[in-house]
Amino acid sequence: MATAMAVTATERAVVEEEFRWLLNYEVHSVLRQLQDILKEASLRFTLPGSSTEGPAKQENFILGSGSTDQVKGVLTLQGDTLSQADVNLKISRSNQLLHFAFREDKQWKLQQIQDARNHVSQAMYLLISRDDNYQFKTGAEVLKLMDAVMLQLTRARNRLTTPATLTLPEIATSGLTRMFAPTLPSDLLVNVYINLNKLCLTVYQLHALQPNSTKNFRLAGGAVLHSPGAMFELGSQRLEVSHVHKVECVIPWLNDALVYFTVSLQLCQQLKDKISVFSSYQSYRPF
């Protein structure tokens, strides 16, 4: 019995020593790694006037480069802002070619990018609030910090991977359609959003439903991308989507950011798993 108790005491001492090392050294090592990774991620979201390096550079992205695309154009992105859009649309029913671009005094804020950047900044704030001199006293304290950081990183990733679902009236009244010169025809709607690492432009062609139409009118709900046949009401008019044109392009730095989010989340989870291992010792509770 005495030998068994001695072994237990020895094991306990080893566990306590390993846990102290984890709290005092390995946790801070992981926090430094996370700070370095998220610093790189935050650089991808540099905004005008937000750094000593000057304004975020303007980047031009070519949309619809294929010869058969109905929509072609160039979108100019500066940080989280769409500063210019130059679009050509070939109308399906008449083969008419329309050209429209942002008015010089107009820019469009991409809220998804801005929100993702804000969540990265919040995660960074949580990490730097525990500098190398900070002493973690319990595993639960580390778990709480990791959960808070992971929440911000998950929200940042979700803002890029999960575009907002909008109804067609919401798209029509969002203000984007009023930013172009010449003014868009009343039978066109435009939407721009981020999906994963891609900048997407969607153009909806509409036609009005006559009051005596025999079509069964069914109001379309919210969607990231509406399909032909979707119906909605705008004012006193009933409208239906006749054609949908979607073009997109990859934004390399958004792809980088998503990779950084994934690596950071994995690091957080690995640290949580190591902390949780100690909870398996029923005779020793480091929490």
Side-chain angles (χ1 to χ4, degrees):
M1 179 68 70
T3 302
M5 291 179 64
V7 170
T8 301
T10 300
E11 288 178 342
R12 180 183 298 230
V14 170
V15 170
E16 289 178 350
E17 184 64 27
E18 288 179 349
F19 187 66
R20 280 196 297 269
W21 184 87
L22 179 65
L23 286 185
N24 295 332
Y25 298 100
E26 187 166 356
V27 169
H28 283 290
S29 175
V30 173
L31 296 188
R32 287 192 295 271
Q33 291 180 63
L34 287 169
Q35 287 182 47
D36 290 341
I37 294 169
L38 294 186
K39 189 176 296 181
E40 288 298 318
S42 64
L43 288 175
R44 301 305 189 272
F45 293 94
T46 301
L47 299 177
S50 64
S51 75
T52 57
E53 299 176 1
K57 65 179 181 180
Q58 289 191 341
E59 300 173 284
N60 293 325
F61 296 97
I62 299 175
L63 302 170
S65 57
S67 59
T68 59
D69 288 342
Q70 297 292 119
V71 177
K72 296 181 180 181
V74 177
L75 299 183
T76 303
L77 194 61
Q78 187 172 8
D80 65 353
T81 301
L82 196 62
S83 58
Q84 184 52 261
D86 194 289
V87 182
N88 290 310
L89 169 65
K90 185 183 293 184
I91 300 296
S92 303
R93 54 182 176 268
S94 65
N95 244 12
Q96 178 187 5
L97 185 64
L98 297 181
H99 172 261
F100 44 92
F102 274 4
R103 290 163 38 187
E104 291 186 2
D105 61 332
K106 294 294 184 180
Q107 294 185 335
W108 185 253
K109 185 75 71 175
L110 291 170
Q111 193 66 42
Q112 287 174 266
I113 294 180
Q114 185 180 59
D115 289 347
R117 180 184 67 91
N118 290 340
H119 288 306
V120 172
S121 297
Q122 186 60 35
M124 284 286 290
Y125 173 78
L126 290 168
L127 291 170
I128 63 177
S129 66
R130 311 293 199 281
D131 61 22
D132 286 346
N133 295 322
Y134 184 85
Q135 292 187 346
F136 290 94
K137 295 179 177 60
T138 65
E141 186 182 4
V142 179
L143 293 179
K144 183 178 180 181
L145 174 61
M146 289 299 95
D147 284 341
V149 172
M150 291 177 76
L151 177 63
Q152 295 301 324
L153 294 178
T154 300
R155 286 175 174 173
R157 184 176 61 183
N158 287 348
R159 285 301 284 134
L160 301 178
T161 61
T162 311
T165 58
L166 298 174
T167 64
L168 288 161
E170 286 173 337
I171 295 173
T173 57
S174 69
L176 182 59
T177 55
R178 295 191 291 273
M179 297 181 64
F180 292 94
T183 303
L184 288 182
S186 59
D187 60 351
L188 288 183
L189 292 182
V190 175
N191 191 28
V192 178
Y193 58 90
I194 299 295
N195 188 14
L196 291 168
N197 61 342
K198 295 177 181 177
L199 179 60
C200 305
L201 170 72
T202 305
V203 180
Y204 296 100
Q205 287 182 238
L206 313 172
H207 70 85
L209 294 174
Q210 300 303 316
N212 58 354
S213 172
T214 58
K215 276 195 173 183
N216 182 22
F217 182 78
R218 290 185 299 176
L219 202 62
V224 174
L225 181 66
H226 293 272
S227 302
M231 301 177 186
F232 67 106
E233 289 181 321
L234 193 61
S236 59
Q237 197 170 34
R238 290 185 169 185
L239 301 161
E240 181 181 19
V241 175
S242 58
H243 297 83
V244 180
H245 311 291
K246 178 187 173 186
V247 286
E248 59 188 28
C249 61
V250 172
I251 302 177
W253 57 265
L254 277 182
N255 189 68
D256 293 345
L258 288 167
V259 171
Y260 290 138
F261 295 161
T262 299
V263 173
S264 298
L265 285 165
Q266 288 172 346
L267 276 175
C268 291
Q269 187 60 53
Q270 288 168 4
L271 181 57
K272 286 184 62 178
D273 292 343
K274 288 182 180 180
I275 294 288
S276 297
V277 164
F278 289 92
S279 68
S280 64
Y281 290 85
Q282 295 189 7
S283 61
Y284 175 63
R285 297 288 186 181
F287 297 90

